[in-house]
Amino acid sequence: MERPDLLHVRAARALRRPHNWIELAKFSTVGAIGYVVNLTVYTLLLRQADVHYLGAATGSFLVAVTNNYLLNRLWTFRHRRGHFAYQGMQFFVVALIALSANLVLLRVLVAFGAGKIVAQAVAIVLVTPLNFVGNKLWSFRRR
């Protein structure tokens, strides 16, 4: 394990590299598309299919994570493509961790009186940094 002062130096260097900011912008664009896909599917499952809000969040997650993996693989991190299934599994593991955090936040926000759609919108935004870091450092890391 690296010393904390070395991690600080590496993080500072990473912030000065333009390609990291470009990747973050691309990842955010893909995330914005995934955000719309997630909320659209979530709303349809909630209102049209009468699915419980936690089930709707899980279903919309599956659709959005598939969309996000393909777009990130083909565009954001195309220069870091590994084996499709192996990298996809890593992406899915990171996404499951993010989903777990999302479901906890969603449940808490709804319990505190937030509307189900608003709560999901907020929960997605709050877990996005976790998702980006996990995918950049593990799923799409340089090999």
Side-chain angles (χ1 to χ4, degrees), residues 31-101:
I33 293 166
Y35 185 77
V36 171
V37 167
N38 192 317
L39 283 179
T40 300
V41 173
Y42 178 77
T43 301
L44 289 172
L45 289 172
L46 211 64
R47 293 187 175 163
Q48 302 298 318
D50 199 32
V51 176
H52 185 273
Y53 74 96
L54 294 176
T58 303
S60 63
F61 155 80
L62 292 172
V63 174
V65 77
T66 302
N67 171 74
N68 288 3
Y69 173 63
L70 294 173
L71 288 176
N72 277 311
R73 181 176 167 81
L74 295 172
W75 185 48
T76 308
F77 300 111
R78 73 173 178 261
H79 59 287
R80 296 184 187 181
R81 279 192 260 180
H83 185 273
F84 182 82
Y86 181 74
Q87 199 168 48
M89 188 58 70
Q90 288 176 305
F91 189 90
F92 190 69
V93 167
V94 171
L96 283 176
I97 293 166
L99 173 65
S100 298

Side-chain angles (χ1 to χ4, degrees), residues 9-25:
V9 170
R10 288 184 68 203
R13 280 190 203 140
L15 289 173
R16 286 189 291 251
R17 294 187 184 130
H19 75 273
N20 285 332
W21 292 101
I22 292 167
E23 280 182 352
L24 179 59

